[in-house]
Amino acid sequence: MAGFERGPWLAVAFAGGIAAWFALANRWEWLALLALCCAVALASLAGLRGNGLFPHLRQSLASLALLVGAGCIVVWAKSELAGARPIERPLVAEIAGVVLDREPRPAEGRVRLLLAMREPGSGRAIRVRVTVPIENDRPELSEGASVSLKARLMPPAPPMLPGAYDFARTAWFAGIAATGSALGPVKVTRPGEGGGWLERTQARLSGHVRQRLGGSAGAIATAFASGDRGAIAKEDDEAMRDAGLSHLLSISGLHVSAVVGAAYLVALRLLALWPWLALRVRLPLVAAGAGAGAGVFYTLLTGAEVPTVRSCIGAVLVLAALALGREPLSMRMVAVAAFFVLLFWPEAVVGPSFQMSFAAVIAIVALHGAAPVRAFLAPREEGWTIHLMRQLAMLLVTGVVIELAIMPIGLFHFHRAGIYGALANVVAIPLTTVVTMPLIALALALDLVGAGAPAWWLTGKSLDLMLALAHWVADQPGAVTTLPAMGRVSIALFVAGGLWLALWRGRARLWGLVPVLIATASLAAIRAPDVLVSGDGRHVGIVEANGDLLVLREQKSEFVRDNLTELAGMDGELRLLADWPGALCNRDFCVVTLSRGGRDWQFLIGRGHDPVAERELAAACDRVDIVISDRWLPNSCRPAILKADRRMLTRTGGLAIDLTRPGVTTVAETQGEHGWWQVAKPRPRPTIPSSAPPVKAPSSNSAAVGDMKPKEPVAPAKAGA
């Protein structure tokens, strides 16, 4: 078919089958999808045998249907084989286990240990991730060590709010049944050997780089050399993210390409100095082998994360194409890399790392394969100044296209995106590939003879320049845009339109602009929820009309604060609800009146745990529309519209309540019956009727339970609720 190349679309179908497994709710829907795929494939093949019309279309439909089914089967099998049932409830216990992995995080003052142990009570073999304060760390606490400690363990946390990060899903595929923190020192009963040779090499390399180059520059140099990002300060990490430079901190195509390219050129030049070999051996093949070996070693050394594996596969395919005289940059190369990654890590398809990595590569290949760009970059007689300006212009255009490709993904996952990333990358990418990484390699080589100090000094200056650029860009007005949670339909339209634009040829590819424009227009209609409620009911955020965020409790946890602000689509300071003039609070409850959608909504929000008289609580519930509490409230508490107490939240997870267009979004409705969602079966999705009856507002002296006055405690009643 004109303009249609099947290879990349087969990879898209495979990824689509994996994504469908996550989107569908239970095994019956998964089986229905597989049955549908088989039916489409059989019908298409039957048409081919009968010499039906459009044989190429039928063949394509059969192939795509089979790949969709294959993707569903692969991720389903991975879930069943790798998934670890979480522990049933939080507990504090003395545990003993073997250290499988350690992840130092000096910037956070802690070390993460992955332990193999027996679950207290059941004796089930599980893996847990425990955080140890860095002051309790010691050299013998390494891979292979047998340890005992007192720890507080919890099941992996589900999303705190609808649209938030799902750590429970990540832990499920990693085989982690619990997370927690050490309560006291860790006793080492048998010292570890430090893992395998590769792990020991990575640890020694990280320590060596940090020893030779301190501060923020040393932390980033360590990330480039060994993939260890644990020492990067939070403010530097955020500045790099807001400036659109965070991809430089994750070992991906840029770094792997630099290593592979350097190894290829060095091998080619050195081998060419040996005339006997140069006359008898095809040196580009040998150099390609050296580059591939260097790329594979660097990938393993830096932890073999998904972007690194994808980049390594792509680099090896490029070397093979160059050695065979074929086109090195093609969508088929990207498709092969995607197939390989998804075959072993199918869960990566719903993660931001895979999506942003492949979106950037697809955008680069599609851009440079377009006819106007090929004509712009075609060799011609011109001065070096014009040639340099042409290359810089192409670098800027490439940066803009990459930013446009990954921005919807960043907004969907992180609810924020940098605006000036393309401009920052024009400086940062050449600085990293041409200056910083070669200097790190030179410094490590010179350290073998004790002469690396000048190279390390230059490395530090180049990294200081990159950090200064990141902080300057991130501090510019409008550098960051924030957005509340984007719906699945919007991101699906962005992805479908982007793939159509990239993978089709000719004018037919322009049809991809239609879903992209529809999705872009839908972003204008996205508004922050009026009320956010965490899954445990302890944290409540109310978005004011002026954009401020009111919170029920003072937020000492950065995790809670970030979730509330990101899902509210804001990046500012929080205000306590008790200090807001529109709220009446005592030690146990707050009553809040919100004017939304042409009416007043009355809220009763729990904030204490003292016993409360049931009759007084029931009377207070009768006077409000919505009750929110982290307690289990009695049946006598019957608000006019919604009671979000512990009983309901256990089933639904966190809530996002919209009062302007009345409705409630829950965490549970996006989880289905996948293994990592361990709460009780969710109730039907709660709704807020648009024609809800008005509720009489409570008077100022009877705002909540009992005789409440603002900020004055209520004496506990005898009857508990």
Side-chain angles (χ1 to χ4, degrees), residues 176-372:
I176 298 175
T179 61
S181 55
L183 304 177
V186 180
K187 181 180 179 182
V188 179
T189 57
R190 187 187 66 187
E193 298 178 356
W197 174 81
L198 199 61
E199 289 79 7
R200 293 195 298 270
T201 301
Q202 183 188 36
R204 286 198 298 268
L205 181 59
S206 298
H208 177 77
V209 174
R210 280 197 290 265
Q211 183 181 12
R212 299 293 289 167
L213 190 62
S216 298
I220 297 178
T222 303
F224 287 172
S226 65
D228 181 3
R229 299 177 53 179
I232 299 176
K234 185 175 184 293
E235 57 271 17
D236 293 330
D237 194 32
E238 291 180 348
M240 294 287 286
R241 178 193 63 189
D242 293 342
L245 302 178
S246 59
H247 65 96
L248 298 177
L249 303 180
S250 175
I251 305 302
S252 57
L254 183 70
H255 311 79
V256 174
S257 299
V259 171
V260 170
Y264 178 88
L265 291 175
V266 170
L268 190 64
R269 299 298 184 186
L270 290 179
L271 293 175
L273 298 176
W274 189 2
W276 181 90
L277 184 66
L279 293 173
R280 291 168 175 80
V281 177
R282 190 179 175 191
L283 294 186
L285 285 175
V286 180
V296 171
F297 176 75
Y298 185 63
T299 297
L300 296 174
L301 180 66
T302 54
E305 299 291 338
V306 170
T308 320
V309 173
R310 188 270 308 158
S311 304
C312 181
I313 296 171
V316 171
L317 291 175
V318 167
L319 290 173
L322 289 172
L324 296 174
R326 303 289 297 273
E327 175 64 35
L329 290 177
S330 69
M331 287 298 177
R332 289 185 179 183
M333 175 199 73
V334 180
V336 171
F339 265 121
F340 184 87
V341 170
L342 294 178
L343 189 61
F344 292 97
W345 299 280
E347 69 277 8
V349 80
V350 294
S353 177
F354 174 90
Q355 294 173 6
M356 299 180 81
S357 175
F358 274 90
V361 174
I362 290 172
I364 292 172
V365 175
L367 176 66
H368 286 261

Side-chain angles (χ1 to χ4, degrees), residues 24 61 65 193 238 245 256 259 279 282 288 295 319 329 399 426 445 471 480 541 605 619 631 638 687 697 707:
L24 297 176
L61 285 175
E193 298 178 356
E238 291 180 348
L245 302 178
V256 174
V259 171
L279 293 173
R282 190 179 175 191
L319 290 173
L329 290 177
V426 171
H471 282 278
V480 178
I605 304 175
R631 308 186 190 198
R638 297 179 180 178
T687 60
D707 184 15

Side-chain angles (χ1 to χ4, degrees), residues 598-612:
R599 60 157 291 178
D600 289 339
W601 300 83
Q602 310 297 328
F603 283 77
L604 176 65
I605 304 175
R607 65 195 298 246
H609 295 91
D610 291 337
V612 177

Side-chain angles (χ1 to χ4, degrees), residues 41 62 65 84 164 189 222 342 368 394 491 496 529 609 653 655 672 690 701 714 718:
T189 57
T222 303
L342 294 178
H368 286 261
M394 196 64 237
I491 190 62
H609 295 91
L655 307 177
S690 58
N701 61 354
V714 173
K718 295 181 180 179

